[in-house]
């Protein structure tokens, strides 16, 4: 931000909701008054044409109506306004107005007024040209060295230059290699036209070359050149500037040579007449407009540059001389002479704010008022100080980071899940391959005491669950806060009752400290009251999955869950524990507890991990193969394009066959990669289910607290989904390694080891499985999870003597390489032998 502001000499706001651009502003003596005062001509895209004669603003008077000489509404939008000698038989200045399909030339004249309303101005249409093509911009000048007259050249949107010699149309030429129109200017010294093409290069065309080139009004220059009729249009010189141009200005002053200025997107260039670069300036902002003007220093040129930071900067060649702040982004800038004040800067914004300003540092006339002296009442200050100290003392009593919520919260959210499934399922395009996919309605209530705009409610569920609406936007609701509400969905949404299985590959046994409970009373929504066998056994069939069987012992306090798939056990086991807690809570029992005797089924868990990692490896292979085939495909394309562009036909040498074969390979690999991505998403869901199961079993096995289970969940479930940059295996391995070297470490030597800060996809899962096995082993020997920095020292004192028998690192690695199931089995056998010896 500049220290100085552009001093406002005169300003006005033009219309309402009108738009303006670079060519909409012109400053010239359009009414030929001869007193050396310029007029400001402004055209808008709404079709309004205004002419101003600005006067300095008086504070008491404000903006006077006589500053606006003329305001008319034309039929079409105004693209550009220019002033020049456009009418034959006279050298007076006239106004040229460019519309999308018309070019109109007007005479502006004034009539002396005899009343207090002042002089009157009007415009008279001298002639107009109807254009066959949509216009973009125009330039004017004495084309061909003509004296006392100005001709007009209009560039169309499709790249045609249309030349008008005042009232008559001369000829039209298409620019070679045209794609999009760029800025266009005429150089009277070299009698040439300059533009910047879509190839990001400055091109100069001589007027004589344009005049004698083949007539291309019918857009058939290629056929004419083949038959030898006419001359080919060739640029006089070309300079590649490497960026698009916003504007071109050609200036010629007595103290400086003729120069071509080009404003780019990040640079502005100064060129000689032959296209050589005099200098260039790299800009550290995004420019919007510019204007070179005469400098007082010999051999230099000043340049005004406006940018999108509301700044107007003055450069002397490449040196920044001044910077002024504007109240808007200028899209056009000019310099004019008004009321005996020369060099006034005229700027126009996109929304129509027109301002005449000058650079300066007017002193501020503000003076601070004198402060009334009064006696200090020390007693009141003492009372106020005590109250403030009391408030500070009360606020520092608690060390909570988060502020306490009010008794009546300003924003609350509640979710109520329907007890019954929808009679007509609302599932649409479900990825679950079941014949019937049920749905359930969740009613979410948002309450607020204050009003706020555009509140967003987002609902999230885990795959493969889906939502009919995941986001709601309320126009007015509560204060800007974030609140969360978690809710449980019914089990019937993802499975339905089925006949139980007698045998299964995966079995888990859970112990309780309460008498056995009938399964039909725990799961009334899945049990058949008429079937007496369902008192002790129930079957669940997961949607698009397998069957899970739940058995209850008739004599003991044990329950068994079994299934053909390891990951499918988690959902039924989790639901069983929740219904246990709800059942005994209703009976008034608060000492209910479940336990798992172990060992943790790590081999089954490792199979799920290996399968997921294998799909990740396949994904990497598909990506590499796709990259190789894509490179091969582009190389063949380049070879074929070279053959096709060659003027002398040459055999393709089976390149077309090779291109077709490579294309088929790319499509096949893309289909295979997409199929593997779908399988990877499904398998990641299975991995999360298996991980939830392992966390649940470890919590029951070691009787972990809620805080320790939260650490387990953060360690084993760090990601919501896999990405190419970061996967589940490396994330979990880093987290488990951190716990092994902190709260589960057995010496300060392990704590000193640092972990790598960069995670990458491992070659295999051997290291991860080794760390997981070691993790469970240390938990089995008394280790406890904690995020405290001093947890390892406290653990060394609290842990029983069995923890001292953890082997050193080399032996520990050998233990970790053993089969986990064998290691835990040997451990239990050792415990039995010790118990027998003691008895």
């Amino acid at each position: 931000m500049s220290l100085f502001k552009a001093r406002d000499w005169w300003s006005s706001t033009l219309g309402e909701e009108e738009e303006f651009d670079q060519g909409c502003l012109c400053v010239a003596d359009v009414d030929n008054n001869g007193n050396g005062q310029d007029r400001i001509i402004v055209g808008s895209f709404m079709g309004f044409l205004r002419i101003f004669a600005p006067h300095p603003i008086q504070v008491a008077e404000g903006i006077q109506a006589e500053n606006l000489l003329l305001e008319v509404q034309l039929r079409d939008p105004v693209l550009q306004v220019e002033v020049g000698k456009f009418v034959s038989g006279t050298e007076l200045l006239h106004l040229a107005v460019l519309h999308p399909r018309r070019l109109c030339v007007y005479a502006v004249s004034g009539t002396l007024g005899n009343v207090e309303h002042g002089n009157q101005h009007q415009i008279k249409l001298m002639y107009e040209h109807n254009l066959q093509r949509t216009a973009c911009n125009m330039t004017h000048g004495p084309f061909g060295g003509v004296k006392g007259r100005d001709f007009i050249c209009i560039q169309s949107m499709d790249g045609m230059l249309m030349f008008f010699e005042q009232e008559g149309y001369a000829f039209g030429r298409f620019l070679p290699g045209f794609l999009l129109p760029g800025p266009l200017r005429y150089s009277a010294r070299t009698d040439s036209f300059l533009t910047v093409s879509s190839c990001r290069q400055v091109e100069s065309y001589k007027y004589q070359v344009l005049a004698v080139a083949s007539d291309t009004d019918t857009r058939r220059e290629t056929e004419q050149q083949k038959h030898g009729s006419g001359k080919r249009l060739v640029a006089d010189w070309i300079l590649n500037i490497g960026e698009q141009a916003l504007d071109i200005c050609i200036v010629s002053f007595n103290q400086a040579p003729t120069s071509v200025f080009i404003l780019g997107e990040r640079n502005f260039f100064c060129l000689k007449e032959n296209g050589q670069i005099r200098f260039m300036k790299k800009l550290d902002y995004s420019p919007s407009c510019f204007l070179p003007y005469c400098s007082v220093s010999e051999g230099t040129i000043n340049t005004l540059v406006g940018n999108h930071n509301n700044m107007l900067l003055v450069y002397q060649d490449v040196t920044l001389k001044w910077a002024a702040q504007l109240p808007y982004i200028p899209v056009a800038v000019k310099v004019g002479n008004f009321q005996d004040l020369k060099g006034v800067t005229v700027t126009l914004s996109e929304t129509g704010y027109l301002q005449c300003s000058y650079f300066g540092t007017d002193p501020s006339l503000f003076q601070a008022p004198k402060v009334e002296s009064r006696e200090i009442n020390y007693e009141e200050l003492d009372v106020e100080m005590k109250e403030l100290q009391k408030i500070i003392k009360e606020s520092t009593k608690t060390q909570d980071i988060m502020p306490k919520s009010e008794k009546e919260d300003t924003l609350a959210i509640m979710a109520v899940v329907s007890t019954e499934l929808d009679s007509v399922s609302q599932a649409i395009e479900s990825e679950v391959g079941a014949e019937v996919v049920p749905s359930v309605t969740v009613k979410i209530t948002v309450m607020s005491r204050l009003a706020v705009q555009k509140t967003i409610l987002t609902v999230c569920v885990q795959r493969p669950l889906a939502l009919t609406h995941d986001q709601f936007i309320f126009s007015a609701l509560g204060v800007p806060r974030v609140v969360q509400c978690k809710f449980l969905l019914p089990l019937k949404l993802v499975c339905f009752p089925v006949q139980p299985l007698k045998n299964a590959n995966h079995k888990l046994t859970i112990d309780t400290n309460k008498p056995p409970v009938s399964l039909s009373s725990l799961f009334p929504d899945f049990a058949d009251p008429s079937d007496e066998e369902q008192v002790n056994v129930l079957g669940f069939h997961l949607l698009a999955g397998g069957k899970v069987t739940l058995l209850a012992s008739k004599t003991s306090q044990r329950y068994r869950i079994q299934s053909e798939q390891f990951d499918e056990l988690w959902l039924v086991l989790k639901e069983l524990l929740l219904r246990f807690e709800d059942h005994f809570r209703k009976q008034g029992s608060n000492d209910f507890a479940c336990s798992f005797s172990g060992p943790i089924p790590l081999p089954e868990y490792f199979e799920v991990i290996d399968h997921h990692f294998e799909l990740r490896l396949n994904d990497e292979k598909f990506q590499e193969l796709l990259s190789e085939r894509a490179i091969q495909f582009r190389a063949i394309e380049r070879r074929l394009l070279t053959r096709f562009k060659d003027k002398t036909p040459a055999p393709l040498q089976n390149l077309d066959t090779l291109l077709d074969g490579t294309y088929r390979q790319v499509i096949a690999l893309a289909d295979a990669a997409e199929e593997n991505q779908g399988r990877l998403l499904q398998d990641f869901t299975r991995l999360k289910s298996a991980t939830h199961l392992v966390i649940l079993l470890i919590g029951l096995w070691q009787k972990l607290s809620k805080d320790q289970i939260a650490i387990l969940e953060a360690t084993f479930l760090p990601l919501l989904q896999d990405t190419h940059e970061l996967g589940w295996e490396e994330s979990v391995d880093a987290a488990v390694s951190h716990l092994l070297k902190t709260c589960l470490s057995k010496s300060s030597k392990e704590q000193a080891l640092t972990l790598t800060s960069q995670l990458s996809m491992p070659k295999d899962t051997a290291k991860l499985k080794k760390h997981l096995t070691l993790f469970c082993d240390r938990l089995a020997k008394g280790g406890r999870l904690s995020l405290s920095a001093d947890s390892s020292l406290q653990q060394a004192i609290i842990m029983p003597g069995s923890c001292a028998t953890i082997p050193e690192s080399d032996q520990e690695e050998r233990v970790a390489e053993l089969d986990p199931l064998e290691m835990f089995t040997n451990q239990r056998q050792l415990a039995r032998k010790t118990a027998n010896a003691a008895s």
Side-chain angles (χ1 to χ4, degrees):
M1 183 175 180
S2 174
L3 178 64
F4 308 113
K5 293 183 179 180
R7 313 305 302 181
D8 190 1
W9 183 73
W10 177 88
S11 61
S12 177
T13 302
L14 311 182
E16 294 182 359
E17 297 183 357
E18 296 186 44
E19 294 184 10
F20 303 83
D21 204 355
Q22 190 178 73
C24 297
L25 176 65
C26 182
V27 176
D29 184 15
V30 67
D31 58 350
N32 302 282
N33 53 46
N35 57 9
Q37 294 185 17
D38 292 327
R39 309 301 189 194
I40 301 176
I41 305 101
V42 182
S44 74
F45 290 162
M46 299 296 291
F48 285 93
L49 179 67
R50 299 178 177 90
I51 301 178
F52 293 91
H55 296 78
I57 297 176
Q58 302 295 333
V59 178
E61 298 177 357
I63 299 178
Q64 298 180 356
E66 63 184 21
N67 292 335
L68 179 61
L69 302 182
L70 179 70
E71 181 178 16
V72 295
Q73 184 173 10
L74 306 176
R75 291 183 298 171
D76 303 315
V78 177
L79 302 181
Q80 190 173 345
V81 288
E82 295 290 347
V83 174
K85 303 173 182 178
F86 300 134
V87 178
S88 60
T90 178
E91 293 190 6
L92 294 178
L93 298 177
H94 289 76
L95 175 64
V97 180
L98 179 63
H99 302 286
R101 285 284 184 169
R102 288 192 307 143
L103 172 65
C104 301
V105 175
Y106 298 93
V108 181
S109 59
T111 304
L112 294 177
N114 297 323
V115 294
E116 61 181 1
H117 298 297
N119 302 335
Q120 298 179 0
H121 287 75
Q122 58 272 348
I123 60 172
K124 180 182 179 181
L125 178 64
M126 304 303 295
Y127 62 86
E128 69 176 356
H129 294 289
N130 293 319
L131 307 178
Q132 300 299 320
R133 288 177 166 81
T134 303
C136 176
N137 51 24
M138 67 176 176
T139 186
H140 68 279
F143 303 165
V146 66
K147 301 295 183 181
R149 294 188 296 170
D150 286 332
F151 298 156
I152 297 176
C153 174
I154 298 176
Q155 180 180 207
S156 67
M157 295 296 293
D158 58 352
M160 183 180 182
L161 300 183
M162 297 173 283
F163 294 87
F164 297 90
E165 296 182 354
Q166 294 184 340
E167 291 87 351
Y169 172 73
F171 58 89
R173 298 290 182 266
F174 278 102
L175 294 176
F178 180 85
L179 181 61
L180 293 173
L184 179 68
R185 287 292 181 272
Y186 171 73
S187 174
R189 184 177 177 87
T190 60
D191 194 25
S192 58
F193 295 85
L194 283 82
T195 184
V196 178
S197 67
S198 300
C199 299
R200 300 183 176 183
Q201 57 188 14
V202 186
E203 300 175 356
S204 175
Y205 297 93
K206 290 286 188 180
Y207 178 72
Q208 295 298 329
V209 175
L210 290 166
V212 301
S214 58
D215 189 7
T216 58
D217 286 352
T218 58
R219 199 55 152 148
R220 296 179 180 174
E221 68 277 15
T222 304
E223 287 75 7
Q224 292 176 0
Q225 290 170 8
K226 288 183 179 179
H227 294 85
S229 61
K231 295 184 179 180
R232 184 180 180 185
L233 182 57
V234 179
D236 183 35
W237 53 265
I238 294 176
L239 175 66
N240 193 334
I241 60 175
E243 59 182 309
Q244 298 293 340
L246 302 179
D247 197 5
I248 299 177
C249 286
I250 302 173
V251 294
S252 179
F253 304 118
N254 295 330
Q255 76 278 9
T258 301
S259 301
V260 178
F261 283 82
I262 300 173
L263 179 64
E265 296 173 323
R266 284 296 177 183
N267 303 274
F268 78 84
F269 306 84
C270 180
L271 312 180
K272 297 180 181 178
E273 296 177 353
N274 58 0
Q276 296 180 358
I277 297 181
R278 284 189 59 211
F279 61 81
M280 65 173 289
K281 173 66 176 177
K282 184 174 179 61
L283 308 176
D284 55 355
Y285 49 81
S286 179
S288 59
C289 60
F290 87 135
L291 177 70
Y293 67 97
C294 181
S295 173
V296 296
S297 300
E298 186 71 24
T300 62
I301 299 176
N302 287 358
T303 307
L304 284 170
V305 181
N307 62 21
H308 287 269
N309 298 329
N310 299 3
M311 299 286 294
L312 192 62
L313 302 102
V314 181
Y315 290 92
Q316 187 177 75
D317 288 347
V318 296
T319 305
L320 180 64
K321 291 295 185 179
W322 195 266
Q325 189 78 25
L326 292 175
Y328 52 83
I329 299 175
V331 296
V333 57
K334 301 291 182 182
V335 174
N337 301 325
F338 310 104
Q339 287 284 319
D340 299 328
L341 183 62
K342 296 183 179 180
V344 177
T345 303
V346 183
T347 52
L348 177 66
S349 74
E350 183 181 13
T351 57
Y353 188 83
L354 180 64
Q355 183 184 35
C356 296
S357 58
Y358 59 91
F359 298 145
T361 55
D362 289 354
S364 177
L365 301 179
F366 172 77
Q367 293 182 354
K370 295 182 178 180
V371 181
E372 297 181 1
S373 60
R374 59 179 181 178
E375 297 181 358
I376 300 176
N377 190 335
Y378 291 99
E379 295 181 356
E380 293 181 358
L381 291 179
D382 188 40
V383 172
E384 184 180 359
M385 178 64 71
K386 290 181 179 179
E387 292 179 356
L388 293 176
Q389 289 178 347
K390 182 179 179 181
I391 295 174
I392 295 174
K393 186 176 181 180
E394 290 179 354
S395 62
T396 55
K397 285 182 180 179
T398 58
Q399 301 295 329
D400 296 337
I401 299 177
M402 298 297 293
K404 291 185 177 180
S405 60
E406 300 178 4
K407 294 182 179 179
E408 185 179 357
D409 204 347
T410 56
L411 183 63
I413 182 172
M414 295 186 301
V416 178
V417 183
S418 176
T419 57
E420 299 293 336
L421 300 180
D422 297 336
S423 58
V424 178
S425 177
Q426 302 297 319
I428 301 175
E429 297 181 359
S430 175
E431 65 180 24
V432 179
E435 296 181 357
V436 179
V437 179
S439 65
V440 67
T441 301
V442 180
K443 182 180 179 181
I444 301 177
T445 305
V446 182
M447 297 176 293
S448 174
R449 294 192 296 111
L450 301 177
V452 76
Q453 301 296 325
K454 294 182 180 179
T455 301
I456 300 176
L457 171 65
T458 303
V459 185
C460 303
V461 295
Q462 295 186 3
R463 293 173 60 92
L465 297 176
L467 296 163
T468 55
H469 296 85
D470 60 349
Q471 193 174 84
F472 302 87
I473 300 178
F474 303 96
S475 58
L477 199 67
V479 295
R481 285 186 49 201
V482 176
V483 294
Q484 293 182 351
C485 173
K486 295 183 179 181
F487 54 90
L488 296 176
L489 295 173
L491 186 62
K492 292 177 63 176
L493 186 64
V494 293
C495 63
F496 54 89
V498 74
Q499 288 295 326
L501 294 176
K502 295 183 179 180
N503 298 314
N505 294 332
H506 304 281
K507 302 177 182 179
L508 293 174
T509 301
I510 303 298
D511 297 328
T512 64
N513 61 347
K514 295 294 182 181
V517 182
S518 171
L519 296 182
S520 58
S521 62
L522 287 177
F523 295 89
D525 47 346
F526 284 87
D528 186 3
S530 61
D531 191 353
E532 297 181 356
E533 295 182 358
Q534 292 190 355
V535 175
N536 299 319
V537 59
L538 284 178
F540 305 87
H541 194 294
L542 300 177
L543 292 178
K547 297 180 180 180
V548 181
T549 303
L550 177 60
L551 300 99
S553 175
K554 297 180 181 180
T555 57
S556 63
Q557 303 167 358
R558 290 187 171 187
Y559 300 85
R560 171 172 292 179
I561 303 98
Q562 58 187 24
S563 175
E564 294 295 333
Q565 297 292 333
F566 176 71
D567 55 282
E568 295 175 352
L569 298 172
W570 167 68
L571 195 60
V572 177
L573 177 58
K574 180 67 175 178
E575 186 72 16
L576 175 64
L577 298 181
L578 291 176
R579 299 202 180 196
F580 268 144
E581 293 176 357
D582 184 63
H583 174 77
F584 289 107
R585 189 185 306 112
K586 291 179 180 179
Q587 293 185 354
S589 177
N590 297 324
D591 58 346
F592 168 76
C594 290
S595 62
F596 177 67
S597 58
I600 302 298
L602 290 180
E604 294 84 350
Y605 184 45
F606 292 161
E607 290 181 3
V608 179
I609 295 176
D610 289 337
H611 191 269
H612 174 261
F613 187 74
E614 181 182 356
L615 292 177
R616 287 189 62 194
L617 291 178
N618 292 341
D619 186 66
E620 292 287 333
K621 293 178 182 178
F622 283 129
Q623 295 297 329
E624 294 177 2
L625 291 174
L626 268 175
S627 178
E628 293 176 0
R629 293 299 181 269
I631 293 173
Q632 178 179 329
F633 187 80
R634 289 192 292 268
I636 300 172
E637 277 186 327
R638 286 194 295 267
R639 297 287 295 274
L640 279 174
L641 288 174
T642 304
R643 297 290 178 91
F644 290 149
K645 289 182 179 180
D646 196 354
K647 295 181 179 180
T648 59
L652 297 180
Q653 296 180 350
N654 296 325
L655 285 176
D656 53 343
T657 306
L658 186 58
L659 182 69
D660 182 67
T662 307
Y663 172 76
R664 295 178 185 275
Q665 291 180 0
V666 170
I667 295 300
L669 284 172
D671 292 340
E674 185 177 5
E675 181 183 357
N676 187 77
Q677 280 284 351
R679 295 174 58 194
L680 185 59
L681 288 175
Q682 294 179 1
D683 202 73
F684 186 66
T685 303
R686 295 184 60 241
L687 177 61
K688 288 196 295 184
S689 298
T691 304
H692 277 295
L693 178 61
V694 171
I695 294 173
L696 185 60
L697 294 179
I698 292 177
L700 297 177
W701 177 43
Q702 292 297 318
K703 296 180 176 56
L704 301 181
S705 63
K706 291 184 179 180
D707 293 338
Q708 292 174 330
I709 292 178
I711 296 175
L712 269 182
E713 292 177 348
T715 303
F716 284 84
L717 296 168
L719 300 176
L720 293 178
Q721 61 182 5
D722 274 329
T723 62
H724 292 289
E725 295 79 13
L726 186 63
W728 182 87
E729 284 78 7
E730 53 266 31
S731 302
V732 173
D733 188 28
V736 172
S737 299
H738 174 74
L739 293 179
L740 291 175
K741 297 180 184 300
T742 53
C743 61
L744 296 180
S745 63
K746 62 183 187 301
S747 64
S748 59
K749 181 180 179 181
E750 283 189 356
Q751 295 182 11
L753 297 177
T754 58
L755 300 175
T756 177
S757 59
Q758 184 176 3
L759 299 181
S760 59
M761 184 175 176
K763 296 181 180 179
D764 51 39
T765 59
K767 185 178 179 182
L768 172 63
K769 292 188 288 188
K770 180 172 59 178
H771 288 163
L772 290 177
T773 304
L774 186 58
F775 177 82
C776 294
D777 181 44
R778 292 195 177 178
L779 284 179
K781 295 180 179 179
R784 285 296 175 263
L785 301 176
S786 175
L787 297 180
S788 174
D790 300 331
S791 60
S792 59
L793 296 177
Q794 299 174 3
Q795 181 177 311
I797 301 174
I798 299 174
M799 286 173 61
S802 58
C803 290
T805 61
I806 298 179
E808 295 298 329
S809 298
D810 54 347
Q811 299 176 358
E812 192 173 59
E813 296 291 337
R814 278 190 234 114
V815 171
E817 292 175 357
L818 294 176
D819 182 68
L821 181 60
E822 180 182 355
M823 183 182 66
F824 283 106
T825 304
N826 295 338
Q827 184 180 349
R828 293 184 65 184
Q829 292 177 354
L830 180 61
R832 290 174 182 173
K833 292 179 180 179
T834 305
N836 294 333
S839 60

